[in-house]
Amino acid sequence: MNSVTLNESGDTAAQARFTRCLAAGLGALLLTLVAFCIWSSQAESYVDLRYFSMIPSNTQAGGHPDVRIEMGWDASTIKEGEFGAPPNHPCACDDPRRILQHFPTGFIGNPHATPRCELVEFSFGRCPPASQIGTAEPFGSAEGEELYVPLYNLMPHPDEPSLTAFWAPLVGAPVFITLGSRTESDYGLFAEGSAIYHPLVFPGLNINLWGVPADPIHDPARFKVPLQGFAACGSIFGCDEVTGTSANVPLVPYLQAPTTCGVPLTSMAELEYYTGELLTGTDEWPATTGCEQLTFNPSLTAQPTTEQADSPSGVDIELSVPQELSPTTPSPSQIKASKTTLPVGFSINPNAADGKVSCSDADSAIGTRGPATCPEFSKVGSLTLDSSALPQPIPGAIYILDPRPGDPYRILLAADGYGTHIKLAGSVEPDSQSGQMVISFPDLPQSPLTAFNMHFFGAERGLLATPTHCGTHRVESEFVPWNNALPPQTSVSQFSVTSGPGGGPCPNGPRGFSPTFKAGTANTTAGMHTPFSLELNRPDGQQNLEAISIKGPPGFAATLRGVGRCPDATLAAVANPAHSGAAESAAPLCPAGSQIGTAIAGAGAGSQQLYLPGKVYLGGPYMGAPLSLAVVTPAVSGPYDLGNVVVRAALNVDPVTAQVLAVSDPLPRILEGIPLRLRTIRVDLDRQGFTYNPTSCDPFAVQSSVAGSEGGLASPWAPFQAASCVDLSYGPKLNLRLSGGLKRRGHPAITAVLRTQPGEANSRLVSVTLPRSGLLDNSHIDTICTRAQFAADNCPEGSRIGQAEAFTPALDQPLSGSVFLRASSNKLPDMVVDLKGELNIELSARIDSVGGRLRATFRSLPDAPISRFVLRLLGNRKGLLINSRNLCRSTHRAIVRMVGQNGMRSRKRVPMRMQCGSKASRHKRHARHSRAKAVR
């Protein structure tokens, strides 16, 4: 009986039915109709609804009372001297066109409780007595019975939920009444008589509906078959010949009272007539009693479509609500609200919405009597709905509804059949920390639903994902009855997960953890700028990814010159929930100049992952590191926009090797209640002119350290080796200059300048052996910085012996810093250059003696491009060197040995330039040298 709508073309359908009745053999009534119309045409009707009432025979909650409906309106008055109808109008009648009666909320009808009379049988007065559901008094009054006719349960049109009809006495005009449900609001019962035949004027209508039509108590008013003409009973006609028979069918309730007590209930009537006026009337329904006598025992089971762990799955949910259809026992209470809690681990699958759309509130038709018209791609399941008011279950579908703030995962249950269009909105509420789901329907109608069978689609893009471990899992449901005298009821069921993904064995204890890893550059040519990519994959069924760190090979780095930074405040704004993923995709907040690459994250159980694209930005200092990466991924899938995921990675640079170590934040585990089950992480650093290869062709590796969610730790690596190193040139130039303290026993200052050309291999080793004239003055070694002091950046001032500056095409600004003597395991302390700037680099030189000459050797220099390097060692009182002779009296050369990262070598005797004599003397010597050179 609960129907969604009266057919929108109800007037047309009713007129068609009327025409078919006439065509079925009622032509003999035309003279009567014409005479009645002529009589009516002499009057002008001014219709007022004088009274309305709807009274049940008893007030038992869930009972099956008879209902007496009375409504009346003022009749017309006849104007003297007027006869005949106006031109082009069949009657001068302000007669009713439509009568609508609303039963109170929770009052239910069951049109399938009795046999149905076919329209042709009704036309010839041959409806079976068992199809009679009451009587109608179309000329009745509130004061007493005048005349009544049988009211029959007819076979409706497929688009109508239920149809009743009676023949108006005297004129033989049929009046059709459609019964349906207010599915636009409270799903209450209504009765609507539309397109009433125009000349049919009657001042009132009383209807007696039988709660149990086959009950013998109604036999005295049950009409026999065949009827003699269009029979009626009452004060005008006798009843003995036309009434008094039994139904001879089982006693099945036709009506059911509300199952709520202590709640004010109201009935209402509307009258619309051909002049266009609309009148209404209301009546207070008697208070319902006896709610404590009702039962309420719903139950629910939920079963995934697979018994494999950590796999995409659908779910079959079966809800049973026993409804006893006894003519003497009140019906059980209906469900007002339901809440089903699925076990922890049985969660929404991240890839479920990929390729889906949502159904708008307008398309859902909630709040209307029409059917839902949701897009096919919003469908996520199927259902069947059964009701004691339906002859058999009706089919339907489950749709994704448009998300709302605070209620993003809305679903719609829509079922259609027997002129009924049911739409029920619910929500899937996942826990923000665990992802545990609660499926709730907070506002179910007072309808006699007996079964809900819901099937959420499974397969590789299943809406859900099973728990990660085998075992028995508990499903708990709570149901709130409409009967406010009964407490909520709970139902518990279980399901089992019996195997691993793909049918493999169940994991015992922590799951395995062996992620795969790939990394490399697009072009392996040594020293070339080229994009770099890495990809991490977690096999299905293994521990989830928690964190990752990546260590690049020596010499692999990036050119930071000209690259912007995405500020911390901007990244915070990106991660703010108020900033949507769609907005970020359309207009990224980070400066375009700070983007250095792209990223893709794959999530979800099963082989069909959800892949979400993102962008990689260069950020500033983070977690103690000088630089950082920020991966921004808009979390948009199908109709869901969950904002933006920002994962940062601190970029630590090894000061000795210049290797880059990227250490990520903890990877997101859950987002808006959806466990992500991250499977794939791919990062492409593809900004033009950004990353570049080493100039060494030694075999290296890109190393990783990956943490799992259950304590697992893996260190997958990918081989890395540059090529064509022999094609790189190598010819750096080193200039040495001494100044101040050039006489014997003087302490000169030393300036060393190393220059390279673009495209050369970087240096691996630089060794400078001073001439024999330079000796180490131990008395000038004031103090030595310990390794602990150096690590703490707290070397004493006495250990500082100079300054250095490094210019590189990779950075916007040069690096500079002090030179210290640092404790060493060798006989002499090491000379350490502590360069600072955008990055901190440490260059350590071993000081020793070879062949009576003092030597400083920088071993294991980082494979980094240096266009110019300047080293200035202090002289005089801070000078470590003491001259064994006057340096200005002869030429002194140092032996410079260098080895490139590509293996090429260079050995030169480099003259040490001096600043000897006064400025004027140096001027004269320079002039003589120029003249001699010109003569030559």
Side-chain angles (χ1 to χ4, degrees):
M1 173 70 94
N2 285 313
S3 106
V4 198
T5 183
L6 171 69
N7 186 9
E8 293 182 357
S9 58
D11 285 2
T12 303
Q15 292 166 355
R17 280 193 291 263
F18 184 83
T19 303
R20 289 169 61 191
C21 289
L22 293 179
L26 301 180
L29 296 174
L30 288 178
L31 291 177
T32 305
L33 290 173
V34 170
F36 187 82
C37 184
I38 291 174
W39 174 81
S40 299
S41 68
Q42 297 175 0
E44 290 184 2
S45 299
Y46 298 91
V47 182
D48 290 316
L49 193 58
R50 292 192 295 111
Y51 59 85
F52 167 72
S53 65
M54 187 178 288
I55 303 173
S57 60
N58 65 71
T59 59
Q60 171 61 52
H64 313 294
D66 299 338
V67 177
R68 169 85 174 172
I69 305 171
E70 296 181 351
M71 59 186 299
W73 50 92
D74 289 338
S76 61
T77 57
I78 303 175
K79 289 188 176 182
E80 296 182 2
E82 293 185 358
F83 185 83
N88 302 319
H89 198 286
C91 288
C93 312
D94 288 342
D95 45 330
R97 187 186 74 84
R98 180 177 66 91
I99 297 174
L100 176 63
Q101 298 163 342
H102 287 286
F103 291 79
T105 300
F107 194 89
I108 296 167
N110 179 9
H112 312 286
T114 71
R116 289 179 165 183
C117 178
E118 296 289 347
L119 185 60
V120 66
E121 294 176 319
F122 176 73
S123 301
F124 286 99
R126 294 181 177 274
C127 285
S131 65
Q132 186 178 346
I133 56 173
T135 61
E137 304 167 13
F139 298 105
S141 69
E143 289 74 22
E145 177 188 67
E146 292 185 355
L147 198 66
Y148 71 88
V149 293
L151 178 66
Y152 290 109
N153 187 15
L154 267 59
M155 183 65 68
H157 186 275
D159 290 336
E160 293 176 327
S162 177
L163 182 66
T164 64
F166 64 86
W167 286 100
L170 299 178
V171 297
V175 177
F176 296 96
I177 301 174
T178 300
L179 299 181
S181 176
R182 298 186 293 271
T183 54
E184 78 282 7
S185 55
D186 62 355
Y187 279 71
L189 180 67
F190 70 84
E192 183 174 34
S194 60
I196 299 173
Y197 187 56
H198 199 353
L200 182 56
V201 177
F202 51 96
L205 175 63
N206 300 338
I207 293 179
N208 297 290
L209 289 176
W210 296 340
V212 183
D215 193 326
I217 196 174
H218 301 303
D219 288 353
R222 199 183 317 275
F223 280 68
K224 301 175 183 178
V225 175
L227 295 177
Q228 301 298 322
F230 299 99
C233 291
S235 57
I236 300 177
F237 300 103
C239 298
D240 294 340
E241 295 183 359
V242 295
T243 62
T245 185
S246 62
N248 292 320
V249 294
L251 275 62
V252 179
Y254 178 70
L255 302 176
Q256 178 183 315
T259 59
T260 56
C261 293
V263 178
L265 299 173
T266 303
S267 57
M268 187 184 77
E270 293 181 1
L271 174 69
E272 180 188 356
Y273 45 97
Y274 280 94
T275 59
E277 293 186 59
L278 179 68
L279 299 178
T280 62
T282 60
D283 186 34
E284 183 178 341
W285 185 268
T288 306
T289 60
C291 278
E292 70 280 356
Q293 301 180 29
L294 305 189
T295 61
F296 183 62
N297 190 31
S299 62
L300 182 143
T301 62
Q303 181 67 43
T305 56
T306 178
E307 294 184 348
Q308 298 177 7
D310 197 15
S311 300
S313 175
V315 65
D316 292 311
I317 297 178
E318 296 184 3
L319 171 62
S320 175
V321 189
Q323 291 286 338
E324 182 179 359
L325 292 179
S326 168
T328 57
T329 303
S331 296
S333 175
Q334 299 92 25
I335 299 177
K336 182 178 183 179
S338 72
K339 182 171 67 175
T340 299
T341 303
L342 297 175
V344 175
F346 194 36
S347 60
I348 298 175
N349 197 5
N351 63 9
D354 192 22
K356 294 291 185 182
V357 298
S358 60
C359 180
S360 68
D361 287 350
D363 288 340
S364 74
I366 294 176
T368 75
R369 294 183 187 175
T373 56
C374 294
E376 183 67 20
F377 284 113
S378 66
K379 184 187 296 184
V380 293
S382 60
L383 68 88
T384 56
L385 184 152
D386 199 6
S387 169
S388 58
L390 297 173
Q392 61 184 23
I394 58 176
I398 307 171
Y399 299 97
I400 297 174
L401 280 175
D402 276 350
R404 287 180 178 174
D407 188 13
Y409 310 117
R410 302 168 62 218
I411 56 175
L412 172 72
L413 308 183
D416 305 287
Y418 304 105
T420 299
H421 308 290
I422 296 177
K423 295 92 58 183
L424 304 175
S427 297
V428 179
E429 305 167 37
D431 183 85
S432 61
Q433 300 300 316
S434 66
Q436 184 177 21
M437 293 183 295
V438 176
I439 303 176
S440 61
F441 289 88
D443 191 18
L444 294 173
Q446 294 188 61
S447 296
L449 302 175
T450 59
F452 256 123
N453 295 325
M454 293 177 281
H455 170 71
F456 290 89
F457 296 147
E460 283 303 308
R461 289 197 180 274
L463 185 68
L464 308 172
T466 55
T468 58
H469 289 76
C470 295
T472 300
H473 301 273
R474 180 184 176 97
V475 178
E476 297 182 358
S477 300
E478 181 182 79
F479 305 99
V480 177
W482 274 102
N483 182 354
N484 46 19
L486 297 176
Q489 297 293 306
T490 58
S491 172
V492 177
S493 65
Q494 295 179 336
F495 67 83
S496 296
V497 176
T498 60
S499 69
C506 288
N508 294 319
R511 294 176 293 167
F513 192 60
S514 56
T516 61
F517 180 70
K518 296 185 293 184
T521 54
N523 189 320
T524 60
T525 302
M528 174 174 285
H529 279 93
T530 178
F532 172 81
S533 300
L534 66 85
E535 183 175 316
L536 182 72
N537 285 281
R538 175 183 68 88
D540 205 7
Q542 295 195 355
Q543 297 180 34
N544 293 322
L545 302 174
E546 285 288 310
I548 180 174
S549 62
I550 304 293
K551 188 174 184 179
F556 174 77
T559 297
L560 303 180
R561 175 172 290 183
V563 180
R565 308 289 191 272
C566 187
D568 289 353
T570 301
L571 291 172
V574 173
N576 191 311
H579 182 57
S580 68
E584 175 63 21
S585 296
L589 296 185
C590 284
S594 65
Q595 184 179 350
I596 59 175
T598 58
I600 292 178
S607 61
Q608 299 295 321
Q609 301 178 46
L610 167 66
Y611 292 99
L612 294 177
K615 294 183 177 181
V616 184
Y617 298 95
L618 184 64
Y622 184 68
M623 300 297 288
L627 297 168
S628 62
L629 295 182
V631 181
V632 176
T633 304
V636 179
S637 178
Y640 299 117
D641 188 333
L642 306 183
N644 300 281
V645 177
V646 178
V647 177
R648 296 189 71 174
L651 296 180
N652 298 280
V653 179
D654 189 304
V656 176
T657 65
Q659 285 178 269
V660 178
L661 174 64
V663 181
S664 78
D665 287 340
L667 299 176
R669 182 181 60 87
I670 190 169
L671 184 64
E672 296 293 331
I674 300 179
L676 297 180
R677 303 179 190 239
L678 280 174
R679 298 280 304 284
T680 298
I681 298 174
R682 180 183 174 92
V683 175
D684 295 302
L685 302 180
D686 52 10
R687 180 187 177 110
Q688 187 174 4
F690 186 62
T691 53
Y692 54 81
N693 285 327
T695 59
S696 168
C697 288
D698 292 344
F700 297 119
V702 182
Q703 300 172 333
S704 73
S705 179
V706 190
S709 59
E710 299 168 39
L713 187 64
S715 301
W717 58 276
F720 186 99
Q721 188 171 18
S724 304
C725 287
V726 295
D727 294 336
L728 296 176
S729 61
Y730 183 69
K733 293 180 171 56
L734 178 65
N735 294 322
L736 296 171
R737 181 167 57 88
L738 302 180
S739 61
L742 298 180
K743 295 181 179 181
R744 182 174 181 275
R745 301 193 64 82
H747 296 83
I750 302 176
T751 301
V753 180
L754 178 71
R755 288 183 173 86
T756 65
Q757 295 298 317
E760 286 187 345
N762 301 319
S763 293
R764 175 180 299 174
L765 179 146
V766 174
S767 176
V768 177
T769 304
L770 297 177
R772 287 187 171 86
S773 58
L775 303 175
L776 180 64
D777 189 347
N778 290 320
S779 65
H780 276 210
I781 298 178
D782 185 12
T783 185
I784 296 175
C785 183
T786 66
R787 288 186 174 273
Q789 289 172 326
F790 186 86
D793 199 19
N794 192 30
C795 286
E797 178 62 24
S799 64
R800 189 171 65 87
I801 62 172
Q803 294 287 328
E805 194 171 21
F807 298 83
T808 170
L811 302 177
D812 289 308
Q813 299 296 328
L815 304 179
S816 61
S818 298
V819 182
F820 296 99
L821 287 180
R822 189 181 68 183
S824 170
S825 58
N826 303 312
K827 292 182 179 182
L828 296 176
D830 291 337
M831 180 175 63
V832 182
V833 180
D834 187 19
L835 295 172
K836 297 183 180 301
E838 291 183 79
L839 309 174
N840 294 340
I841 296 296
E842 171 191 330
L843 306 177
S844 178
R846 177 182 177 181
I847 300 175
D848 61 2
S849 178
V850 55
R853 294 184 173 202
L854 193 63
R855 180 175 65 181
T857 303
F858 288 91
R859 297 180 181 272
S860 302
L861 290 172
D863 189 357
I866 298 294
S867 57
R868 183 162 61 98
F869 177 76
V870 180
L871 175 67
R872 296 182 178 91
L873 298 180
L874 299 173
N876 297 322
R877 289 187 302 170
K878 297 287 292 184
L880 295 181
L881 290 181
I882 185 170
N883 301 325
S884 62
R885 66 194 72 174
N886 189 326
L887 301 183
C888 290
R889 294 182 178 178
S890 59
T891 300
H892 301 270
R893 297 180 183 273
I895 299 174
V896 178
R897 184 168 61 92
M898 293 183 286
V899 179
Q901 294 284 348
N902 62 348
M904 296 183 68
R905 297 175 178 272
S906 171
R907 189 178 187 279
K908 296 179 180 179
R909 292 176 61 84
V910 177
M912 302 184 70
R913 297 180 180 178
M914 315 285 183
Q915 288 186 352
C916 296
S918 65
K919 185 174 182 181
S921 299
R922 291 197 302 272
H923 212 48
K924 291 179 180 179
R925 285 198 300 271
H926 178 70
R928 287 197 301 270
H929 178 73
S930 298
R931 285 195 299 270
K933 186 176 181 181
V935 171
R936 291 195 299 267

